[in-house]
Amino acid sequence: VRIDFADWSGMRDGLIPVLKAAILNRQMLAFDYYNSSGDCAPREVCPIRLWFKSSAWYLLAYCMDRRAVRTFKLTRIKRLALLSGEFPPDALAMLHTEPEDIQPDIQPLSFAMKIDGCMAFRVYDDFAESQIMRTQDGGFLVRAAFIPGGWLISFILSYGEHAQVLDPPSLQLEVKNAIQKIAARYQS
């Protein structure tokens, strides 16, 4: 088995070995981190574990600034550096705790979506078999529940003209509004 953590650009291939060494050796790390709003802030952390969730890798770490365990998406970590110094006692106490879910306070949104058959390669990657039903025309009817917000809209739009949200109406409206905003950018 070969696991290659580099992305296709080859620009992120050095991150995992440094994180792994820091976790195993209990070495502190410093990096710049871009949050989901695009704001960048320097962080000093005590790394606890690497965590693969859904389709992304995360670093679970004790944040020295926040004095709490935080989750950092690896693709948003920039300018990673090893620091000297020992983990403080409150960080050491967190080493053997199980992490909470990444977004525990947000309830998933149940939705139904029709997807054209030509997208089969994506459907079976993105959804559990129990969420997928084949339709008579060779397409798919998907019933799933994901965390709502901008990520879900982008995910649906990534299917392009090959998908249609059937339910709930509020999600249909959000997708329609996003499509109109995209179309408006190209009307010049």
Side-chain angles (χ1 to χ4, degrees), residues 56-141:
W57 282 96
Y58 297 86
L59 173 66
L60 188 74
Y62 181 84
C63 180
M64 298 300 290
D65 234 14
R66 306 275 168 90
R67 296 281 182 218
V69 174
R70 293 288 187 254
T71 306
F72 301 95
K73 193 170 187 177
L74 294 195
T75 54
R76 297 182 190 161
I77 292 175
K78 308 299 178 198
R79 294 167 286 286
L80 179 66
L82 292 168
L83 298 176
S84 59
E86 296 181 5
F87 283 21
D90 42 349
L92 287 171
M94 298 295 179
L95 290 177
H96 303 292
T97 60
E98 278 304 310
E100 293 181 22
D101 207 350
I102 290 173
Q103 294 179 314
D105 299 334
I106 301 173
Q107 291 298 317
L109 173 69
S110 295
F111 64 95
M113 188 164 79
K114 184 176 190 274
I115 303 173
D116 295 340
C118 64
M119 300 302 286
F121 71 98
R122 286 265 322 266
V123 170
Y124 289 103
D125 287 345
D126 293 339
F127 300 98
E129 189 176 26
S130 62
Q131 298 171 318
I132 303 167
M133 187 174 84
R134 280 309 279 242
T135 59
Q136 285 186 328
D137 64 1
F140 302 93
L141 175 62

